[in-house]
Amino acid sequence: MDSLELNITKKTEAIADCIFTKIKKQEAESLGIFSGEFGLLLFLFYYSRYSKSKKDTLLTETYAEKLLEQVVEKERLHTFCSGLAGILYLFEFLRENDFIDIDISSVQPSLDNYLITRLRQNIQYKYFDFMHGALGVGLYLLKKGTYPECIKELIDFLYNTAEKDDVNHFFRWESTVRIQEKECSAYNLSMSHGMSAIIVFLSLVVRSGMAEEKIQEMLSGAVNYVFAQENDFTQLGSYFPNFILKYSPKAFSKSRLAWCYGDLGIAIALWQAGKSLDKAEWRGKGLDILLQSTKRRNIVENFVHDAGICHGSAGIAMIYHRMYLETDEDEFKDATSYWINQTMVFSHFEDGLVGYKTHEKEEWKKDYSLLTGIGGIGIVLLSYLKNNRQIWDEMFLLS
């Protein structure tokens, strides 16, 4: 074991100890998969399998049952990020991969029905957002596989609300972005809240066996629109902007290197769509963008401030590890190692959680969560250590 591997091992163990200490001492503040306690469960189940400790496994399973009781009693937020859609998706994943054997069949139908009601409300208000709206619920229902009528409703909603340009064969969806505290209408290209998530969701629907013409038409139109937003990388340092304001011309601005916004999420969406519809051009474009991005290593120029998955170094490493698994390209292997090392470097706060803090709105905070805190950092480090297939990244729309 080399020195870096030894340090990563120690850091992962320290993250696990920190989280185990937390769940022994504190009540759950938030239950969501990205923002709360259920996201910590994902790390703890993987860590328990890695440590082979019966004590770790028992504590994790006991905590899962405790959290489930709270969900049944009081959780009525429906989103993938912070509510039932993400929580129930996680349970499907954990059961599929033999982490748990907890029977929730007595309560799941009522929870599913509640989610379907909220899905239809999101559709009514034309709110497709992956993390907080209809797409997140749709991802869970697609995973569950028992509500094809709801998936069809979501597909019809996306088709009917898209702005269509028959001349250029574009499909695009309007959403709201916040600029200097002002809400503006825009076409958001991001994975976290925008069109990249729509492209990935439609790609997953195709893979599930629903390859009707309407879905393929939307996928092609969305990809065409994204292609049309490409900028000159040599001038800006990125291929795509974060978004395009509705009443403005094409945007010429640099985007960050991150999962949430920028080239990485957009390129993953193109890669996924190309695989689903067997479009070599789309796959090739996504691959080219991702390979070029491996050269972007200046953390200041690329707006990388911390180590979390959402907008930090662990999320970048997660994406490159996924692409190495898919392509076996050495550039992705090397880039994964680089950003893993940078993730270790970010652990430098004496008053942080195992040295980590999260950068948010020009402030630094302690953060346990999967999306932006040590839960996500821990699972990325663990996947790197074990060189596993990182199948959990499906929750981040990577696979």
Side-chain angles (χ1 to χ4, degrees), residues 120-172:
R120 288 170 176 158
Q121 289 176 351
N122 284 154
I123 288 174
Q124 181 182 354
Y125 290 107
K126 300 180 181 179
Y127 189 48
F128 66 79
D129 189 292
F130 161 57
M131 288 177 62
H132 305 302
L135 283 177
V137 180
L139 187 68
Y140 160 65
L141 296 177
L142 190 65
K143 178 79 165 176
K144 188 81 184 308
T146 53
Y147 298 99
E149 72 284 358
C150 295
I151 302 301
K152 186 177 185 306
E153 286 181 43
L154 185 47
I155 295 299
D156 290 343
F157 155 66
L158 291 171
Y159 191 87
N160 293 333
T161 56
E163 293 183 14
K164 306 172 184 69
D165 180 337
D166 294 332
V167 175
N168 295 298
H169 304 290
F170 290 165
F171 273 66
R172 61 186 183 181

Side-chain angles (χ1 to χ4, degrees), residues 49-220:
R49 185 171 283 182
Y50 160 74
S51 71
K52 297 182 174 61
S53 164
K54 291 183 179 180
K55 179 182 176 183
D56 292 347
T57 301
L58 179 60
L59 181 55
T60 303
E61 290 176 346
T62 302
Y63 196 58
E65 292 173 353
K66 177 182 176 181
L67 290 179
L68 182 59
E69 290 176 3
Q70 293 185 52
V71 169
V72 174
E73 291 172 3
K74 66 181 183 181
E75 183 57 68
R76 284 300 175 264
L77 191 62
H78 73 290
T79 68
F80 195 90
C81 175
S82 305
L84 281 172
I87 290 168
L88 292 178
Y89 188 103
L90 177 65
F91 264 87
E92 292 297 314
F93 176 85
L94 292 173
R95 281 200 297 266
E96 280 181 2
N97 293 284
D98 299 321
F99 284 105
I100 60 171
D101 187 23
I102 299 175
D103 183 9
I104 62 172
S105 59
S106 61
V107 297
Q108 192 160 5
S110 64
L111 298 177
D112 287 352
N113 287 335
Y114 178 75
L115 278 178
I116 291 168
T117 299
R118 296 303 302 271
L119 169 70
R120 288 170 176 158
Q121 289 176 351
N122 284 154
I123 288 174
Q124 181 182 354
Y125 290 107
K126 300 180 181 179
Y127 189 48
F128 66 79
D129 189 292
F130 161 57
M131 288 177 62
H132 305 302
L135 283 177
V137 180
L139 187 68
Y140 160 65
L141 296 177
L142 190 65
K143 178 79 165 176
K144 188 81 184 308
T146 53
Y147 298 99
E149 72 284 358
C150 295
I151 302 301
K152 186 177 185 306
E153 286 181 43
L154 185 47
I155 295 299
D156 290 343
F157 155 66
L158 291 171
Y159 191 87
N160 293 333
T161 56
E163 293 183 14
K164 306 172 184 69
D165 180 337
D166 294 332
V167 175
N168 295 298
H169 304 290
F170 290 165
F171 273 66
R172 61 186 183 181
W173 289 265
E174 179 185 340
S175 57
T176 300
V177 299
R178 184 176 290 274
I179 304 175
Q180 296 178 344
E181 303 306 315
K182 181 181 178 182
E183 291 190 347
C184 305
S185 296
Y187 306 106
N188 190 331
L189 300 182
S190 74
M191 182 69 89
S192 51
H193 305 292
M195 283 180 52
S196 291
I198 293 177
I199 290 171
V200 174
F201 178 75
L202 293 174
S203 301
L204 294 172
V205 171
V206 170
R207 273 184 245 169
S208 75
M210 296 173 63
E212 60 187 72
E213 185 176 342
K214 180 186 292 187
I215 299 170
Q216 296 188 46
E217 183 185 358
M218 278 195 287
L219 256 180
S220 295

Side-chain angles (χ1 to χ4, degrees), residues 21-41:
T21 298
K22 174 192 184 300
I23 67 176
K24 290 174 185 175
K25 291 183 177 180
Q26 299 179 11
E27 289 295 318
E29 298 171 1
S30 171
L31 297 178
I33 180 175
F34 280 174
S35 61
E37 305 296 312
F38 274 92
L40 303 186
L41 276 183

Side-chain angles (χ1 to χ4, degrees), residues 356-395:
Y356 290 107
K357 282 190 173 181
T358 298
H359 188 257
E360 184 177 292
K361 297 179 179 179
E362 306 307 318
E363 295 181 356
W364 294 94
K365 68 173 187 176
K366 296 179 182 180
D367 187 345
Y368 287 91
S369 74
L370 182 68
L371 184 65
T372 54
I374 63 170
I377 295 167
I379 198 166
V380 170
L381 292 178
L382 193 55
S383 287
Y384 180 78
L385 265 183
K386 301 301 291 180
N387 194 26
N388 64 33
R389 300 300 297 175
Q390 194 177 277
I391 57 175
W392 53 266
D393 68 15
E394 67 185 58
M395 288 170 243

